[in-house]
Amino acid sequence: MRRLLLGVSGSVSVYKSVELARRLQDYGFFITVIPTPASNNFVGNALWEAITQNPVADSLWKDIHSSSHLKLALENEIFVVAPATANLISELASGSASYLLSATFLSFTGRKILVPAMHTQMWENSITQKNVATLRESGVEIIEPEIGQLAGGDYGVGRYPELSKIITKIFDGDLPSAKYQGKKILITNGPTREPIDPVRFLGNNSSGKQGFAFTQALLDLGAKIELITTVTPNFKHPNLNITLVDTAIQMLEAVKVKHVGIDYSILVAAVADKRPANYQDQKIKKNLLDKIVLIENPDIAGWVGENKGSTEKILIFAAETGENATQNALEKLQKKKADMLYMNRVDQEVFNSEESHGILLKTSGEQLHLQRSSKYQIAKQILDKL
């Protein structure tokens, strides 16, 4: 998912950056706010943390052992400073690093975008213009302030730009598709584990990587996700709610709870077809472990298909082998009342791989062959078609 630093300085227009942070979250950004001490006179840390659901980074003297300015610089891909006062611009242009924002800015090697906001006289001052030119020469992108009403009743150039202008600049003029923005997505992920005794279980080779790829791709598109998974993700996001389960029965119960107002169900989980009929609460001695009676597990995809919303789209998955793989997958698609199915030939190095390839099937019988690519790119290709 995309990670963004939002630096804010002591301008009355900083309140507009609160809405900027919220809007950027709609586009899937995970945001860390770095305020200057002066900015806290207008907007405090509590509000930033409530909006971003992420701790504020506000001091060079916290977490000294981790070199927080370097850590922030390495972990994020875009640094937006909005608003940028004349004082902050002067500090950044001089290469000063007196507080966390400027120290991180000096350490940051990714894309930097500056949004100046100040009174007209300060913006037009030759010193400010020289500092802006210095930053431009070093590769910093500058969004020119607009003409309009300023603090104190003044009117002129120096106004904080419209949010749409800043967001368009962040995306380099190419805003992502709004198809999934704000949509509620249910994703099941990972292999279920059906316990035999306290030591052993029935399972499969699924890694959960494809489900996490869909999760990341959809967060990047601004979706809100209910992720029901047997594998714990190594990321978090304000738009991501995680429910951890182990067994097929637990997964179905979670699906029943979360399947409310869902726009898309993406059922990636590799659910075990059967489970032991009798769980033994004591470890079975190996000389007695010669026979396990199995019973059917619930059909989670079938339940979702039977309870499909009027506008809901359902994507399911099939792990197949052998000559009849495509026909078997098509029959599964029709039986589950889904809209699309992505079929993997799991005898061709898919499980636990960073890449995937397969066939996307529609109920019309149309087939689209997806060439080997990263699981994230596969997810994006499928989402374009769903």
Side-chain angles (χ1 to χ4, degrees):
M1 92 193 46
R2 308 192 71 179
R3 301 178 68 95
L4 180 144
L5 292 174
L6 177 59
V8 296
S9 58
S11 163
V12 68
S13 64
V14 70
Y15 76 92
K16 296 182 179 180
S17 289
V18 176
E19 179 63 14
L20 175 64
R22 193 198 65 76
R23 291 272 301 277
L24 288 172
Q25 283 178 312
D26 289 343
Y27 284 103
F29 282 101
F30 183 83
I31 298 168
T32 299
V33 176
I34 310 179
T36 64
S39 74
N40 288 323
N41 291 309
F42 298 103
V43 177
N45 289 356
L47 181 55
W48 291 123
E49 292 184 359
I51 291 293
T52 64
Q53 297 183 37
N54 194 29
V56 162
D58 63 354
S59 175
L60 275 169
W61 310 111
K62 291 180 182 177
D63 301 322
I64 298 296
H65 66 284
S66 67
S67 298
S68 55
H69 59 297
L70 297 177
K71 188 170 184 286
L72 288 166
L74 290 170
E75 288 180 347
N76 292 273
E77 59 179 294
I78 302 176
F79 197 157
V80 178
V81 182
T85 61
N87 183 66
L88 179 61
I89 289 171
S90 176
E91 170 134 349
L92 298 180
S94 69
S96 178
S98 59
Y99 37 77
L100 184 59
L101 194 160
S102 52
T104 306
F105 193 88
L106 195 60
S107 308
F108 192 78
T109 58
R111 190 172 170 218
K112 302 175 187 176
I113 301 173
L114 214 63
V115 184
M118 64 198 74
H119 284 283
T120 304
Q121 295 88 340
M122 300 175 77
W123 172 248
E124 293 180 342
N125 188 285
S126 61
I127 297 174
T128 302
Q129 290 301 308
K130 182 179 179 181
N131 289 334
V132 169
T134 297
L135 289 167
R136 274 202 175 103
E137 289 171 6
S138 68
V140 178
E141 300 172 57
I142 309 293
I143 301 179
E144 296 277 337
E146 296 181 349
I147 298 172
Q149 194 74 34
L150 306 174
D154 291 344
Y155 185 91
V157 64
R159 182 181 174 88
Y160 190 110
E162 292 297 321
L163 297 184
S164 58
K165 185 175 182 180
I166 300 172
I167 293 170
T168 301
K169 181 69 171 179
I170 290 170
F171 282 102
D172 229 1
D174 185 21
L175 293 177
S177 168
K179 182 168 68 170
Y180 292 99
Q181 187 174 330
K183 298 295 185 182
K184 192 173 180 182
I185 318 290
L186 174 72
I187 299 178
T188 64
N189 184 49
T192 64
R193 302 176 185 88
E194 311 300 331
I196 299 168
D197 62 22
V199 177
R200 306 175 181 92
F201 64 87
L202 294 179
N204 56 68
N205 288 326
S206 173
S207 65
K209 291 179 180 180
Q210 186 66 74
F212 289 148
F214 271 97
T215 302
Q216 291 180 330
L218 283 160
L219 288 172
D220 290 348
L221 293 170
K224 297 179 179 180
I225 298 174
E226 290 287 350
L227 175 63
I228 302 170
T229 177
T230 63
V231 185
T232 305
N234 61 359
F235 55 87
K236 62 178 182 176
H237 193 279
N239 288 347
L240 174 62
N241 185 53
I242 300 167
T243 302
L244 289 173
V245 297
D246 285 311
T247 68
I249 291 177
Q250 291 171 350
M251 183 170 283
L252 177 59
E253 291 306 309
V255 166
K256 288 180 178 179
V257 172
K258 301 298 183 180
H259 189 258
V260 178
I262 294 297
D263 297 296
Y264 297 86
S265 287
I266 300 177
L267 308 179
V268 195
V271 181
D273 298 306
K274 296 191 176 187
R275 67 182 188 276
N278 297 297
Y279 171 75
Q280 302 295 320
D281 59 8
Q282 299 292 318
K283 179 182 176 182
I284 304 171
K285 299 301 181 183
K286 64 180 181 180
N287 61 310
L288 300 176
L289 192 64
D290 56 354
K291 183 178 181 181
I292 301 173
V293 178
L294 301 177
I295 57 175
E296 291 286 334
N297 257 332
D299 183 354
I300 296 174
W303 186 92
V304 174
E306 290 293 337
N307 293 274
K308 182 178 181 180
S310 59
T311 60
E312 180 183 352
K313 299 292 184 184
I314 301 175
L315 169 67
I316 62 175
F317 291 72
E320 297 286 348
T321 61
E323 295 180 0
N324 297 322
T326 303
Q327 182 58 36
N328 292 340
L330 186 57
E331 290 174 3
K332 178 178 180 178
L333 172 61
Q334 294 166 343
K335 180 181 178 182
K336 306 296 184 183
K337 300 182 180 179
D339 298 280
M340 276 188 179
L341 182 147
Y342 180 57
M343 188 270 288
N344 289 127
R345 288 289 299 271
V346 293
D347 50 355
Q348 298 177 0
E349 298 180 9
V350 171
F351 275 144
N352 208 33
S353 171
E354 299 298 329
E355 297 179 327
S356 179
H357 59 98
I359 302 174
L360 188 62
L361 302 172
K362 296 183 180 181
T363 52
S364 63
E366 180 184 349
Q367 299 180 18
L368 177 65
H369 290 257
L370 303 184
Q371 300 302 312
R372 181 180 292 276
S373 184
S374 72
K375 289 185 174 178
Y376 180 86
Q377 291 299 326
I378 290 290
K380 290 186 69 175
Q381 291 180 60
I382 294 173
L383 291 171
D384 285 341
K385 300 293 182 182
L386 186 58

